[in-house]
Amino acid sequence: MKKAKKLTAEELAAKHQVAVNTFVREVWGEIPRELEVKLKSLKAWGFDLIAGLREGEPAVFVASQEAGHLPGDVYEERGERFEVKEVLDRLPKGAKLVVRVSNEERRGVARLYYRAANGEETELFALPAAELLLAFFKKRGWGKLLEAFHSSGLTTEFIQSRGSGGKAWSFKALPPKMRRALREGADTIKKRAGVGRFTLVYFGKNKDGDDRYVVTWLLPTIKLLDVSLAEHVEGLLAALD
């Protein structure tokens, strides 16, 4: 096994200086894994909810909006035959859509269920959480979330950095914009996400007057499937530039 390179005293001192000036806002408890969502959320992810026949039996299922299915359409997918009776624009009375996120085979998986008024559940899809989130962000045009996306499990991590590193600024020296980012990060976790982590390290401006920094977010994946939270974080990332 190759021996790890030993840090010099200068490198260790630089790492220590950045570490003590990386500011953290976090709240932890149970990470939410289930969320009831509205039909508009499903449409925001790029899916239609359809009532029709699946292998000749009455069923509710989903299809990509890009497919553009209309009443009367018959198609095959993954070896099954589907017939479209109605593209739903509202949920039947008493019905609900429930999304659950779990870690399966080394990655986050999102499963969506249709819960009928009698409580019976039908799985509508199972997708890697990363795939669903990235498609969602792309459809909504959220470039900052797409750029900063790093990984998804029960939580999703975003990393946004600008410019090169250097000497990290102390909290007292932070400009108002960076202090505001810390406040908004804390508020987002407490009031919107419930649990999560936000970090910021600031290295001052470059010769062109642009801020140099590294920001990370760790947020519940299931909460990011809600339009309002994802849109809010997109705005916070954009405000840093």
Side-chain angles (χ1 to χ4, degrees):
M1 185 175 178
K2 188 175 180 180
K3 191 175 181 180
K5 178 185 175 183
K6 187 175 181 180
L7 294 176
T8 66
E10 291 78 10
E11 289 171 332
L12 187 58
K15 185 175 287 290
H16 179 269
Q17 198 272 336
V18 170
V20 297
N21 289 300
T22 297
F23 307 111
V24 180
R25 300 290 184 267
E26 64 184 339
V27 175
W28 289 111
E30 185 175 355
I31 300 172
R33 303 186 186 201
E34 179 175 311
L35 183 71
E36 182 182 337
V37 296
K38 298 183 183 299
L39 182 56
K40 67 179 182 180
S41 293
L42 179 65
K43 292 183 178 295
W45 305 338
F47 293 94
D48 283 326
L49 183 64
I50 297 172
L53 300 177
R54 183 174 188 170
E55 290 292 289
E57 297 292 330
V60 175
F61 47 92
V62 295
S64 169
Q65 288 178 343
E66 292 182 356
H69 289 305
L70 299 172
D73 285 355
V74 177
Y75 65 95
E76 287 194 7
E77 188 173 288
R78 297 185 296 276
E80 291 186 296
R81 187 175 186 273
F82 295 87
E83 182 177 345
V84 179
K85 296 294 186 182
E86 181 184 2
V87 179
L88 299 174
D89 59 7
R90 66 181 66 184
L91 289 174
K93 185 177 180 180
K96 296 179 180 180
L97 292 175
V98 178
V99 63
R100 299 185 181 115
V101 173
S102 58
N103 281 332
E104 302 176 23
E105 297 182 352
R106 303 173 298 281
R107 64 181 179 183
V109 174
R111 295 180 181 272
L112 180 70
Y113 297 86
Y114 174 82
R115 183 183 293 163
N118 64 5
E120 183 179 347
E121 289 188 346
T122 301
E123 184 177 300
L124 299 176
F125 67 60
L127 292 170
E131 179 181 325
L132 181 58
L133 283 175
L134 290 173
F136 175 35
F137 299 160
K138 181 179 179 181
K139 179 176 173 60
R140 302 290 295 197
W142 291 332
K144 293 299 180 183
L145 288 174
L146 284 169
E147 181 183 350
F149 182 90
H150 183 64
S151 62
S152 273
L154 296 180
T155 59
T156 293
E157 184 175 19
F158 300 95
I159 303 172
Q160 179 167 295
S161 62
R162 294 292 179 266
S164 58
K167 184 176 181 180
W169 287 33
S170 68
F171 180 78
K172 289 183 178 180
L174 288 179
K177 181 166 106 172
M178 295 298 156
R179 290 191 179 214
R180 185 168 59 251
L182 281 169
R183 289 196 303 273
E184 291 173 341
D187 285 346
T188 297
I189 293 169
K190 291 178 183 178
K191 298 176 182 179
R192 292 175 179 264
V195 297
R197 189 171 194 262
F198 175 83
T199 73
L200 181 149
V201 56
Y202 182 67
F203 301 107
K205 296 183 181 291
N206 63 16
K207 62 181 181 180
D208 297 318
D210 298 323
D211 290 309
R212 298 177 299 148
Y213 63 86
V214 178
V215 156
T216 69
W217 279 100
L218 198 62
L219 295 166
T221 297
I222 207 161
K223 292 282 190 175
L224 287 162
L225 291 169
D226 178 75
V227 173
S228 63
L229 177 61
E231 187 171 41
H232 181 71
V233 176
E234 167 76 10
L236 294 182
L237 291 174
L240 287 165
D241 286 346

